[in-house]
Amino acid sequence: NELNTTLVLNGTDLELTDAGGTLSTDLSSLQDGVTDADADPTNELISSVTLTNTNDVLRIVEAGITNDVDVSTFKNINLVLSGSSLDLTDGGGTLSADLSSLNDANTALNLVGTTLSLTDSAGTLNVDLSSIDGINDLDTINTNELITSAVLTGANVLEITEGGNLTSVDLSSLASQSAALYDNLGWSGASASVGTGANTTLSATEGQKIFEIVETATSNRFEIDFNRVMPGTIITNLPITINEPGFYYLIGNLTNTTNNGDGITIDASDVTIDLMGYRLAGTQLSGINSDDGIVVLGSETNIKIRNGGIVGWNGDGINALNADFSIFSDLHVRANNGDGLVGDFNNLMVRVTAFTNGIDGIEGDDGTVIFHCTAGQNGDNGIQTSEGCAVINSASFDNESDGIDVAAGSIIDSCVASDNGIFGFDVALGGQVVNSVAYDNMSNGFDMASACIIRSCIGSLNTGHGVRTFANSWVIGNKFHENDLDGIRISSTGVHVEGNQVTDNDQVGIQVTSSGCLIIRNTASGNVTNYNIITTSAFGPILDVTNAGDLADVTGADHPWANFVF
């Protein structure tokens, strides 16, 4: 019963009603008894009525007592125009007024011909503006100020149509420009006139070396950027003979067109040929018999051939047997009937791929370095060199004969030879192979001549031996696994075999059939026979430590030269 619901002055009784009922209080004793003009003695108590607190409170002072009444809910607090509705909000809610009948906004303004149209909600007002043209020009005609067309016709006539009138302009004096148009643009062609013709315009920006052709009829734009034109000689047709030093380059693919001829013949030293990513195509692509794609005559030096393909020639892709101290780089030599690339002494061959050539993929003479090259599916060896060469970071795969075949005094470092028809690596007298892998070749993984070194290599799954080597060689720190014959085969005197691991080979892990060899500190496991060493060679004790546990308990395990079976 704590909620007051009504407060009523009934005569001189003040009645207060809540949930419990009505309480009545007699206020008659508060009358002041003053007689005034309205003969009402009960209203003489109010001395002031004011609005305070930003007009939110009605303050009534009656008989010295102040009474505050909250009148904030009677104020207008928001006025919003939403679309065509005007919304007035106060404490009692929102009153909306529809003003759509008052909307008279202009919605469109258009000029059609000489008529100006103004549109609003009431409709469209049209105003004729034709009377305001009155331009006083030289032809005194005020209807021809609009050019409707300009066309280049005939050879040199510009026709302009203006207000229905045709004007012709003779441009014959502009019909040709002298060859001076090309001055300072790097142009090296023959001097000749440059004609605009009926449908083109020419322009040049000398500072930027840009030559522009615009076809008027279609607005097609053609641009020649002479900044991209290199100094040198463009090779545009085959065959060609180069007999002067200099820089030569292609601007497109070229195909052999001459029977029994070479594509490019080099008959000078200090010649650079940049194929610019294009291809020289020979027999198989043209249907015409050919010889070498590029051939070097005489005895030349400092020949550079780079950046492109030599494909399908009846002879060699590149025959540089007469080029010494030369560089061949970024080349693809494929499907040539001879060698892919063959060079002379002291050449550098870098990033060359040689694929499906009839003889060797890549061949270098004495002193050649072959670096980052690949050779695959060639008819003989993938990579072959003469004496004193280096083959580094290269791979040779699926060639008919050896993967990599090097002559005496050469080194092979960080290379891979796999799936080749004979040896993975064929190394002649005094050669060295390090950090390389021979995998799944049809004969020996590594076939080493006398006085060779093989170190830190892997030979696995080869049909022959993992490695076979001859007199006075080192076989140090290698791994030979699961070869069809022996892991290591030694058949000559003076070979040092140390620190190798031979596992799961189908015959002998380490087979030594010749006297005078040294075999120490090797490990063997899973071979049909782990060690077979002739007694006239020197070897550390062979200890079987299979399932032996702590080697400290095995007699002789601490021997410094011991060979182990595990």
Side-chain angles (χ1 to χ4, degrees):
N1 64 350
E2 307 307 316
L3 180 63
N4 297 320
T5 58
T6 61
L7 179 65
V8 178
L9 183 62
N10 184 8
T12 58
D13 292 331
L14 179 63
E15 296 176 350
L16 177 64
T17 302
D18 62 13
T22 300
L23 175 64
S24 180
T25 302
D26 183 9
L27 303 179
S28 60
S29 61
L30 300 177
Q31 296 185 36
D32 59 8
V34 177
T35 300
D36 57 8
D38 60 7
D40 185 358
T42 65
N43 66 351
E44 314 310 308
L45 301 179
I46 297 175
S47 60
S48 68
V49 178
T50 58
L51 280 172
T52 65
N53 193 25
T54 320
N55 298 330
D56 288 339
V57 175
L58 178 65
R59 177 162 291 171
I60 304 172
V61 179
E62 183 180 45
I65 299 173
T66 300
N67 298 284
D68 291 334
V69 180
D70 184 5
V71 295
S72 61
T73 58
F74 298 100
K75 296 175 63 178
N76 295 326
I77 59 175
N78 199 15
L79 181 65
V80 177
L81 181 62
S82 176
S84 61
S85 177
L86 181 64
D87 299 330
L88 178 63
T89 302
D90 63 15
T94 300
L95 175 66
S96 297
D98 184 7
L99 306 180
S100 60
S101 62
L102 304 176
N103 184 5
D104 198 25
N106 295 323
T107 58
L109 180 66
N110 295 308
L111 181 64
V112 179
T114 60
T115 300
L116 179 65
S117 300
L118 179 63
T119 301
D120 62 16
S121 59
T124 300
L125 174 65
N126 296 321
V127 180
D128 185 6
L129 305 179
S130 60
S131 61
I132 66 173
D133 184 3
I135 297 176
N136 186 16
D137 55 8
L138 294 178
D139 58 12
T140 68
I141 301 174
N142 60 5
T143 61
N144 67 348
E145 314 314 316
L146 180 64
I147 296 176
T148 57
S149 69
V151 180
L152 189 65
T153 63
N156 304 296
V157 177
L158 177 64
E159 294 184 346
I160 301 172
T161 302
E162 181 185 26
N165 295 318
L166 177 64
T167 302
S168 297
V169 180
D170 184 4
L171 304 180
S172 59
S173 62
L174 304 176
S176 64
Q177 306 289 336
S178 70
L181 179 64
Y182 297 102
D183 289 349
N184 300 317
L185 293 178
W187 179 259
S188 59
S191 297
S193 296
V194 181
T196 60
N199 297 309
T200 59
T201 60
L202 304 176
S203 62
T205 304
E206 181 176 324
Q208 297 179 349
K209 295 186 178 180
I210 302 296
F211 184 68
E212 181 181 278
I213 303 172
V214 178
E215 187 178 42
T216 304
T218 62
S219 297
N220 290 331
R221 178 177 177 272
F222 307 91
E223 183 179 278
I224 302 172
D225 184 355
F226 286 95
N227 292 295
R228 299 179 62 187
V229 177
M230 296 182 295
T233 302
I234 301 173
I235 300 174
T236 57
N237 294 288
L238 301 179
I240 182 176
T241 297
I242 297 172
N243 50 28
E244 292 290 339
F247 177 69
Y248 300 80
Y249 62 99
L250 270 60
I251 57 173
N253 296 317
L254 297 179
T255 301
N256 171 54
T257 58
T258 304
N259 275 312
N260 303 315
D262 302 312
I264 299 175
T265 300
I266 302 174
D267 194 12
S269 294
D270 305 308
V271 170
T272 296
I273 297 177
D274 194 331
L275 302 175
M276 300 293 289
Y278 296 110
R279 181 182 67 184
L280 298 181
T283 304
Q284 297 180 21
L285 300 180
S286 67
I288 298 175
N289 196 22
S290 62
D291 202 349
D292 300 328
I294 300 177
V295 61
V296 180
L297 300 181
S299 181
E300 312 300 347
T301 60
N302 191 29
I303 304 299
K304 297 183 180 69
I305 302 173
R306 65 192 184 211
N307 192 26
I310 316 291
V311 181
W313 291 83
N314 194 48
D316 300 329
I318 299 176
N319 179 354
L321 279 170
N322 294 308
D324 300 334
F325 304 99
S326 297
I327 300 175
F328 306 88
S329 61
D330 299 292
L331 295 167
H332 178 73
V333 287
R334 173 173 56 89
N336 301 289
N337 287 339
D339 296 320
L341 164 63
V342 55
D344 205 6
F345 302 126
N346 299 103
N347 287 323
L348 176 61
M349 301 175 179
V350 184
R351 294 183 300 276
V352 177
T353 60
F355 179 67
T356 63
N357 297 285
I359 307 179
D360 296 330
I362 300 171
E363 183 179 338
D365 212 333
D366 296 353
T368 293
V369 174
I370 298 173
F371 184 63
H372 282 306
C373 292
T374 62
Q377 299 182 2
N378 296 287
D380 197 356
N381 300 315
I383 297 174
Q384 178 172 314
T385 76
S386 296
E387 297 179 359
C389 295
V391 182
I392 306 168
N393 291 116
S394 296
S396 189
F397 166 79
D398 197 23
N399 299 283
E400 291 293 327
S401 296
D402 300 334
I404 298 177
D405 184 330
V406 296
S410 297
I411 184 171
I412 299 169
D413 188 352
S414 303
C415 292
V416 176
S418 65
D419 296 276
N420 295 288
I422 304 181
F423 303 133
F425 297 89
D426 191 351
V427 183
L429 176 71
Q432 181 174 201
V433 183
V434 296
N435 305 316
S436 295
V437 175
Y439 175 81
D440 199 23
N441 298 285
M442 295 303 294
S443 186
N444 302 327
F446 299 86
D447 200 72
M448 316 286 291
S450 299
C452 287
I453 294 175
I454 177 171
R455 179 167 46 87
S456 300
C457 292
I458 299 173
S460 60
L461 274 74
N462 297 287
T463 302
H465 307 297
V467 60
R468 180 181 68 170
T469 188
F470 293 90
N472 305 306
S473 295
W474 280 7
V475 182
I476 308 292
N478 304 285
K479 165 72 175 179
F480 299 103
H481 172 74
E482 208 170 329
N483 297 285
D484 287 355
L485 299 179
D486 302 332
I488 299 174
R489 172 79 177 200
I490 309 298
S491 55
S492 295
T493 188
V495 178
H496 181 172
V497 181
E498 180 177 352
N500 302 282
Q501 185 184 75
V502 288
T503 55
D504 296 333
N505 295 285
D506 289 349
Q507 291 191 6
V508 181
I510 298 178
Q511 173 92 273
V512 181
T513 62
S514 182
S515 62
C517 297
L518 177 66
I519 301 94
I520 58 175
R521 293 195 293 216
N522 300 285
T523 61
S525 176
N527 305 284
V528 172
T529 301
N530 287 307
Y531 294 91
N532 185 16
I533 304 172
I534 192 170
T535 58
T536 53
S537 282
F539 53 93
I542 298 173
L543 302 177
D544 190 341
V545 295
T546 304
N547 302 320
D550 189 351
L551 292 181
D553 299 330
V554 178
T555 301
D558 58 349
H559 194 288
W561 315 122
N563 298 287
F564 292 95
V565 174
F566 66 99

